[in-house]
Amino acid sequence: MKHRINPLRTALGLALALSVCGPLPVALAALATPGPQAVDSLPGESLYQVQADLTDQHGRQLQWSALRGQPQLVSMFYANCHLMCPLILENAKALQKQLGEDGARLGVAVLTLDPARDTPEALAAVAADHRTPDAWRYLRPEPDAVRALASVLGVRYRFREDGSINHTSVLVLLDAEGREVARSEVTGIAPDPAFLQQVRTLLAAD
């Protein structure tokens, strides 16, 4: 289940997302080339190479690359989802709980696919409803960055006529530099044991 990203994944993933989800003229804006310092300091396989402005559930603004520095469990969801998205949150919560004291060393970031509706207040309400740890980050990307982030995270999505979103339900494990280490498709509340072990291994090596 362990996956390493090759340098072409970002470009190929974006092309796939565009073909599945339809054209979005501003999508490439979120893939603007980072400055020389960012290029030099980030590994070539780091997902944090993507330039994206985010706002968390408390209204604080940050860059996608601000998650750098500790292993992260990352997923994408939307607040009005009442089927798979709650499972994603509960699965991640159960996984972190099973890590025991090591769970505090794993960052958790949940990015919305629906920035038009998912205001910081809406994201804070989800956090409260699911009683997730205070350290979790619920993040609202700027609209022109959603597709780029979904692409590098391997999340495919499509808006339906009723306003719901058909999307990949997955947890992605990133190392402290933003490189993908493993991923787990979410099908229920219980974490995948093999994925849990990969998280343990990463934390032990960090």
Side-chain angles (χ1 to χ4, degrees):
M1 285 184 60
K2 187 173 181 178
H3 299 277
R4 291 287 184 181
I5 301 174
N6 63 55
L8 295 178
R9 172 165 181 171
T10 298
L12 291 176
L14 180 60
L16 175 61
L18 289 172
S19 67
V20 171
C21 303
L24 184 63
V26 296
L28 294 178
L31 289 176
T33 304
Q37 184 177 359
V39 171
D40 293 340
S41 61
L42 281 170
E45 295 179 345
S46 174
L47 274 59
Y48 299 146
Q49 295 279 359
V50 173
Q51 299 293 285
D53 295 323
L54 308 167
T55 304
D56 71 11
Q57 72 268 35
H58 306 295
R60 297 178 297 216
Q61 296 182 340
L62 65 153
Q63 292 287 316
W64 165 235
S65 57
L67 274 62
R68 184 186 189 188
Q70 72 176 126
Q72 296 282 342
L73 192 64
V74 183
S75 190
M76 299 192 80
F77 88 131
Y78 67 105
N80 288 324
C81 175
H82 302 294
L83 181 60
M84 290 309 300
C85 297
L87 291 181
I88 291 173
L89 300 179
E90 294 301 323
N91 188 296
K93 190 165 66 170
L95 183 148
Q96 193 174 37
K97 185 176 181 180
Q98 289 188 35
L99 293 172
E101 293 183 357
D102 286 341
R105 298 170 50 216
L106 179 68
V108 179
V110 189
L111 286 69
T112 180
L113 291 161
D114 190 11
R117 291 182 291 182
D118 287 351
T119 62
E121 294 78 12
L123 296 177
V126 172
D129 288 345
H130 286 272
R131 300 180 181 179
T132 52
D134 292 339
W136 280 30
R137 285 170 162 162
Y138 289 82
L139 300 171
R140 176 191 178 276
E142 290 300 309
D144 61 357
V146 173
R147 191 159 302 196
L149 291 169
S151 175
V152 295
L153 289 168
V155 173
R156 299 172 66 181
Y157 70 100
R158 178 175 58 85
F159 279 83
R160 293 172 171 167
E161 292 183 0
D162 63 1
S164 64
I165 306 173
N166 185 20
H167 64 92
T168 306
S169 299
V170 64
L171 295 173
V172 182
L173 178 64
L174 306 181
D175 69 12
E177 294 296 308
R179 293 170 292 210
E180 183 179 315
V181 175
R183 61 196 297 114
S184 175
E185 299 292 332
V186 175
T187 58
I189 294 177
D192 173 35
F195 183 67
L196 176 61
Q197 184 55 49
Q198 289 171 314
V199 177
R200 293 187 190 277
T201 300
L202 177 61
L203 292 177
D206 185 57

